[in-house]
Amino acid sequence: EPEVTQTPSHQVTQMGQEVILRCVPISNHLYFYWYRQILGQKVEFLVSFYNNEISEKSEIFDDQFSVERPDGSNFTLKIRSTKLEDSAMYFCASSPGAGGYTFGSGTRLTVV
Amino acid sequence: GQQLNQSPQSMFIQEGEDVSMNCTSSSIFNTWLWYKQDPGEGPVLLIALYKAGELTSNGRLTAQFGITRKDSFLNISASIPSDVGIYFCAGHMNNAGNMLTFGGGTRLMVKP
């Protein structure tokens, strides 16, 4: 079964450092997303990406965050200057259209 | 933002018992999805519902899309130990970005 692949599985970074989280969505999917889940809390939407541009973003997705699809297969989330409160699981997802989401296994980001 | 109220927050049941959990919202959703999340993993889709009143089964799981489009329930029959995990409802509103709104989750614990 096709999978969404995320790397790394765990990233530890110092406060103020930049991090890039990487994702390989399912190849024939058109929509790409990033969600995050703070430990013990619900999954929260960050951003959706379609046709090489951001189609929607939440209040969480401020100027410190950016997304990119640098080539035909990768989809990245960059946090420019990490804060302690950015510590969370970050999930990439993709879908062919409305619904039909597939989530990756996540990257656990720990900011120290 | 949109809110999904999921209940109960947690359940501790005996193996073999049936389980029911639900989500309600003040907003109308066009798609309801039910996910299961195991520790350290991403959400895995269990059931997707696309029409008001739709009742769909997946093995021992049954979910329904409420007639008002503001609620959904998930039933698990004859629970087994591997049903342990966190179950999330999620709603989709056919907006521009295809974002999902997640409920707070139901933590299910099954005693063998």
Side-chain angles (χ1 to χ4, degrees):
Chain A
E1 181 145 347
E3 289 184 341
V4 173
T5 306
Q6 288 187 245
T7 55
S9 56
H10 192 186
Q11 172 96 43
V12 181
T13 188
Q14 286 205 320
M15 193 168 54
Q17 294 296 305
E18 173 184 287
V19 293
I20 298 176
L21 309 183
R22 302 180 191 279
C23 171
V24 179
I26 292 175
S27 60
N28 62 347
H29 283 187
L30 301 177
Y31 291 82
F32 314 113
Y33 315 86
W34 283 99
Y35 286 76
R36 81 169 185 192
Q37 185 180 33
I38 294 171
L39 186 64
Q41 298 187 21
K42 67 179 178 182
V43 179
E44 300 174 291
F45 171 77
L46 292 179
V47 65
S48 60
F49 192 86
Y50 172 73
N51 203 26
N52 284 321
E53 61 183 19
I54 291 174
S55 48
E56 194 162 12
K57 59 182 181 179
S58 70
E59 294 171 353
I60 303 168
F61 193 88
D62 62 21
D63 291 344
Q64 293 298 313
F65 291 88
S66 62
V67 290
E68 196 177 34
R69 188 154 164 82
D71 53 44
S73 60
N74 291 284
F75 180 52
T76 61
L77 174 69
K78 182 193 292 185
I79 309 175
R80 260 180 273 283
S81 177
T82 49
K83 305 186 286 286
L84 293 176
E85 54 265 38
D86 292 328
S87 296
M89 284 288 286
Y90 287 80
F91 293 107
C92 176
S94 68
S95 69
Y101 267 65
T102 301
F103 282 85
S105 296
T107 294
R108 180 177 297 283
L109 176 65
T110 304
V111 182
V112 297
Chain B
Q2 306 302 328
Q3 295 283 340
L4 287 184
N5 300 307
Q6 185 170 350
S7 64
Q9 285 188 315
S10 63
M11 302 182 74
F12 188 64
I13 61 169
Q14 195 77 35
E15 182 178 0
E17 289 184 353
D18 297 343
V19 170
S20 185
M21 59 193 79
N22 70 85
C23 273
T24 59
S25 173
S26 57
S27 302
I28 288 174
F29 286 91
N30 293 310
T31 303
W32 283 92
L33 307 168
W34 285 93
Y35 288 88
K36 182 185 180 211
Q37 186 179 29
D38 292 325
E41 298 291 326
V44 175
L45 182 66
L46 299 174
I47 292 180
L49 303 159
Y50 299 105
K51 291 193 299 188
E54 180 180 353
L55 182 71
T56 297
S57 292
N58 178 8
R60 292 178 296 106
L61 277 60
T62 302
Q64 183 157 32
F65 192 144
I67 290 289
T68 64
R69 295 200 284 159
K70 293 181 178 181
D71 63 307
S72 177
F73 71 75
L74 174 71
N75 287 342
I76 305 173
S77 62
S79 58
I80 58 178
S82 61
D83 290 334
V84 164
I86 302 178
Y87 292 79
F88 288 99
C89 64
H92 172 251
M93 297 180 69
N94 275 0
N95 52 6
N98 274 342
M99 63 171 281
L100 288 182
T101 300
F102 278 80
T106 296
R107 181 181 296 275
L108 178 64
M109 293 158 280
V110 180
K111 185 177 179 183

